[in-house]
Amino acid sequence: MLPFQTMGEAEASLGRNLTFSETLWFKYSADKSDYFLYCHNTIFLFVFYTLLPLPCAAAELLRSYKIDRFKIQPKVRNNLCRMFKCYKDVMTVFVCAVGPLQLFSFPVVQVIGIRTGLALPSVSEMFWQILVYVLVEDYTNYWLHRMLHCKWGYDKIHRVHHEYTAPIGFAASYAHWAEVLILGFASFLGPLIVPGHMITLWLWMILRQLEAIETHSGYDFPWSPSKYIPFYGGAEFHDYHHFVGGKSQSNFASVFTYCDSLYGTDKGYRYHKEVFGKLREKSGGKYDISMEDLKAE
């Protein structure tokens, strides 16, 4: 809760007029507790994982050639019942595990110093902090994900996520509850190291959800803005990890490709791209190529 009763008091404390965004923030947050503001992350989690996968889910059901040609594994079809079951299972994990953890983790947020007051962070400050969060999450996620591919980790926990060999957006968080919490730690580690404003934390969590849903969408759209991000893996990169299946020892990173390149865990993927590229050339740009085609080659 802001320590001001009026905008005049806030401006007097800052020694200047409030910016437009600060005025909006004051009007929204002045009478709300810090705990309530932190709980917004839980709301965003449910809302974004409900709405963002819908366009690709609709494309999956309609199977129009104009969109289907961008599907990474075009021979795999997911019906409405399977997608709804996936969504229901994910929401169950959110309700039973993720939501309570976020709500009860508020004391940690207070201790590390994530602030809710004025002034708001600049665009530059938010950019650099989120860049740190992305890099920390990506590197930590790489090793945690790789650990989950050891025999015990896979058999007891990670195999649930690999039930989808051709992932869909709803399957981004389709996993054992323990895996959701383990990999969720990687997302929260950046803000623990470099705490910022609550708005920065909100934006980071939303971006992380967007990225997870995109990489599990099952579609590789050439117009995606993420195509312009250096070293970004994207849907095609992570889809290969599911395509290979439970024994996959490739493409562990969540966002970028540098960890897999650095530690040599992208060799299968690079070979896959090379061979599939040749097959598509021979077929005149045909997209509907299966594992059987690859084996025949």
Side-chain angles (χ1 to χ4, degrees):
M1 185 177 294
L2 297 181
F4 312 112
Q5 296 298 318
T6 65
M7 282 199 293
E9 290 181 15
E11 290 174 340
S13 175
L14 294 176
R16 59 171 173 79
N17 293 332
L18 299 183
T19 64
F20 176 73
S21 56
E22 287 173 338
T23 300
L24 292 178
W25 179 249
F26 178 89
K27 290 179 178 179
Y28 182 74
S29 66
D31 59 348
K32 295 177 176 64
S33 68
D34 290 353
Y35 179 71
F36 179 79
L37 293 173
Y38 177 63
C39 289
H40 281 52
N41 277 316
T42 305
I43 299 170
F44 296 150
L45 186 71
F46 283 90
V47 171
F48 280 89
Y49 268 115
T50 298
L51 299 180
L52 291 179
L54 289 179
C56 285
E60 181 82 1
L61 295 173
L62 295 174
R63 301 307 296 251
S64 163
Y65 173 74
K66 289 183 178 180
I67 299 297
D68 219 37
R69 61 199 177 101
F70 300 116
K71 187 169 171 58
I72 300 168
Q73 297 187 51
K75 290 188 175 181
V76 179
R77 293 178 178 269
N78 292 286
N79 58 36
L80 182 61
C81 289
R82 191 168 191 233
M83 285 192 281
F84 181 74
K85 180 184 181 301
C86 178
Y87 172 76
K88 183 182 67 174
D89 291 344
V90 169
M91 288 298 119
T92 300
V93 172
F94 283 172
V95 170
C96 297
V98 181
L101 178 67
Q102 286 202 349
L103 297 179
F104 287 115
S105 62
F106 178 66
V108 178
V109 171
Q110 288 182 305
V111 169
I112 64 176
I114 291 179
R115 60 191 181 87
T116 60
L118 298 171
L120 293 185
S122 66
V123 173
S124 175
E125 178 185 338
M126 294 173 69
F127 172 82
W128 290 112
Q129 285 180 337
I130 289 176
L131 180 61
V132 170
Y133 299 169
V134 172
L135 294 175
V136 168
E137 192 279 339
D138 195 57
Y139 191 80
T140 308
N141 184 288
Y142 174 87
W143 287 107
L144 291 174
H145 187 185
R146 194 167 174 178
M147 176 190 73
L148 288 171
H149 272 266
C150 71
K151 180 172 174 51
W152 186 91
Y154 185 84
D155 290 344
K156 300 296 184 183
I157 299 175
H158 193 51
R159 64 175 178 78
V160 176
H161 187 62
H162 275 273
E163 289 177 14
Y164 283 84
T165 54
I168 56 176
F170 288 123
S173 287
Y174 180 83
H176 191 285
W177 65 266
E179 176 176 345
V180 175
L181 298 184
I182 289 169
L183 297 184
F185 170 75
S187 298
F188 201 67
L189 186 57
L192 281 174
I193 297 172
V194 186
H197 197 276
M198 186 66 74
I199 290 179
T200 308
L201 180 64
W202 288 357
L203 181 59
W204 159 237
M205 291 301 178
I206 290 170
L207 289 174
R208 183 66 186 93
Q209 291 167 38
L210 283 169
E211 185 275 331
I213 291 167
E214 184 196 15
T215 55
H216 288 84
S217 67
Y219 290 85
D220 186 31
F221 297 118
W223 57 78
S224 173
S226 60
K227 293 284 186 183
Y228 300 97
I229 302 175
F231 307 108
Y232 184 77
E236 185 182 27
F237 186 79
H238 189 71
D239 199 280
Y240 175 78
H241 179 80
H242 283 262
F243 177 68
V244 173
K247 302 300 181 183
S248 174
Q249 292 297 316
S250 184
N251 296 17
F252 293 112
S254 60
V255 182
F256 298 114
T257 60
Y258 72 92
C259 278
D260 287 289
S261 179
L262 181 64
Y263 298 113
T265 49
D266 65 344
K267 293 178 182 178
Y269 172 67
R270 285 190 279 112
Y271 174 77
H272 165 91
K273 283 199 72 173
E274 181 183 348
V275 174
F276 266 48
K278 289 177 181 177
L279 286 174
R280 281 176 177 154
E281 262 184 46
K282 288 180 181 178
S283 65
K286 179 184 175 185
Y287 278 79
D288 195 9
I289 298 174
S290 67
M291 179 63 90
E292 286 68 32
D293 299 321
L294 180 58
K295 287 178 179 176
E297 180 71 9

